[in-house]
Amino acid sequence: MSARHQRRQARRDERRDELKQAAIEIFHEHGYHAARVSQIVKKVGVAQGTFYLYFEGKQQLFAEIISDFLERVVTTVASWEPGAIDSREDLRDELTRVGLMLTHELLNHELSTAIFFNEAMAVAPELNELIRHFYETLQAMLSDFNRILCQRGLIAPMDFTILASMTIGMVERVIMERVVYGTLNEVEPRAIVDHLVMHFLTGTLEAIGPASRAGVPEDEEQPTDAALPLKA
């Protein structure tokens, strides 16, 4: 690739990013349905025809913004390495590390985060499928992590899918309160993460009885209360 072509491609990439960032600001300010392509290009200072050199339309651009958001979340959660954890203290440290990474990503892309919670579910059926796949992927990842932690004697036996869903819901609600409603704006990110980690650790100390966790394979019920460190 020639230097001239590289410069041209870099400029195209830069223009595309400018349009996307402008769209994020317009979607956040006006909502998806009220937002107009004309508002996006005006913010960037280009002709409306330039927009269509990069995007098919408003819906495709919006879907890309949501996809970028979901990828950031999954990539951050996937950085968790439960297999390297040997103690509850290690678990606390690793949960805190990943929690701070995720909090940083979401707050660093605060407008995209707010758009996801405010707009994404109501825009188009194809987005609903994308979002549902995201939640299924996240739930499966966390369920697998929880199984590994249980097998290592670090959390008590329970229904790991329910635990994963509870964890997602707990984190999601706290982020909504911070980013969408602003009720936690005065709380430092570290304090938010510490609270979430504390509740996860406290809630995984005691085993759930077999009758209450049908679906947990028998070979995953080996850790006993006696084998678990009881201090969160």
Side-chain angles (χ1 to χ4, degrees), residues 17 54 57 60 96 117 143 165 178 212 221:
D17 289 342
Y54 298 92
Q60 186 241 328
T96 300
F117 286 119
S143 297
S165 297
R178 172 65 183 261
S212 300
E221 298 181 5

Side-chain angles (χ1 to χ4, degrees), residues 26-36 58 119:
I26 295 297
F27 287 140
H28 180 260
E29 181 179 355
H30 299 283
Y32 172 80
H33 292 290
R36 298 287 180 265
K58 182 177 74 170
E119 300 281 336

Side-chain angles (χ1 to χ4, degrees), residues 136-193:
E136 288 174 350
T137 300
L138 203 56
Q139 185 185 70
M141 289 170 59
L142 292 179
S143 297
D144 287 343
F145 292 162
N146 290 331
R147 288 188 183 93
I148 293 171
L149 294 174
C150 184
Q151 290 165 356
R152 296 176 70 84
L154 297 174
I155 68 173
M158 58 188 67
D159 188 310
F160 303 119
T161 302
I162 292 176
L163 178 60
S165 297
M166 290 169 59
T167 304
I168 293 168
M170 181 170 63
V171 172
E172 192 172 61
R173 188 65 206 186
V174 169
I175 292 298
M176 284 183 67
E177 290 295 333
R178 172 65 183 261
V179 173
V180 177
Y181 303 117
T183 57
L184 297 176
N185 283 347
E186 302 304 317
V187 182
E188 291 295 324
R190 177 60 190 246
I192 291 175
V193 171

Side-chain angles (χ1 to χ4, degrees), residues 6-23:
Q6 287 179 329
R7 288 193 298 271
R8 187 183 305 147
Q9 185 60 48
R11 182 54 185 156
R12 284 181 57 84
D13 292 343
E14 182 182 348
R15 178 67 76 202
R16 196 176 197 281
D17 289 342
E18 288 173 348
L19 288 166
K20 187 184 291 188
Q21 183 56 45

Side-chain angles (χ1 to χ4, degrees), residues 20 37-38 62 67 119 128 146 155 206 223:
K20 187 184 291 188
V37 170
S38 59
F62 185 83
S67 181
E119 300 281 336
N128 290 339
N146 290 331
I155 68 173
E206 295 186 18

Side-chain angles (χ1 to χ4, degrees), residues 49-168:
T50 302
F51 176 90
Y52 294 100
L53 294 175
Y54 298 92
F55 304 101
E56 295 176 5
K58 182 177 74 170
Q59 183 171 313
Q60 186 241 328
L61 173 54
F62 185 83
E64 189 170 317
I65 290 169
I66 296 302
S67 181
D68 289 347
F69 170 82
L70 300 181
E71 184 177 354
R72 280 194 293 270
V73 173
V74 170
T75 300
T76 303
V77 174
S79 71
W80 190 15
E81 294 290 346
I85 299 171
D86 294 319
S87 69
R88 292 276 288 187
E89 191 60 37
D90 288 344
L91 177 56
R92 181 198 300 275
D93 291 344
E94 183 65 4
L95 288 172
T96 300
R97 181 187 71 81
V98 175
L100 288 172
M101 285 178 57
L102 181 59
T103 302
H104 173 79
E105 283 293 320
L106 296 179
L107 295 182
N108 200 40
H109 298 88
E110 192 165 348
L111 297 187
S112 297
T113 302
I115 289 169
F116 173 76
F117 286 119
N118 281 329
E119 300 281 336
M121 297 291 192
V123 170
E126 53 266 35
L127 275 186
N128 290 339
E129 293 177 13
L130 175 69
I131 293 167
R132 183 60 200 159
H133 177 68
F134 160 74
Y135 279 113
E136 288 174 350
T137 300
L138 203 56
Q139 185 185 70
M141 289 170 59
L142 292 179
S143 297
D144 287 343
F145 292 162
N146 290 331
R147 288 188 183 93
I148 293 171
L149 294 174
C150 184
Q151 290 165 356
R152 296 176 70 84
L154 297 174
I155 68 173
M158 58 188 67
D159 188 310
F160 303 119
T161 302
I162 292 176
L163 178 60
S165 297
M166 290 169 59
T167 304
I168 293 168

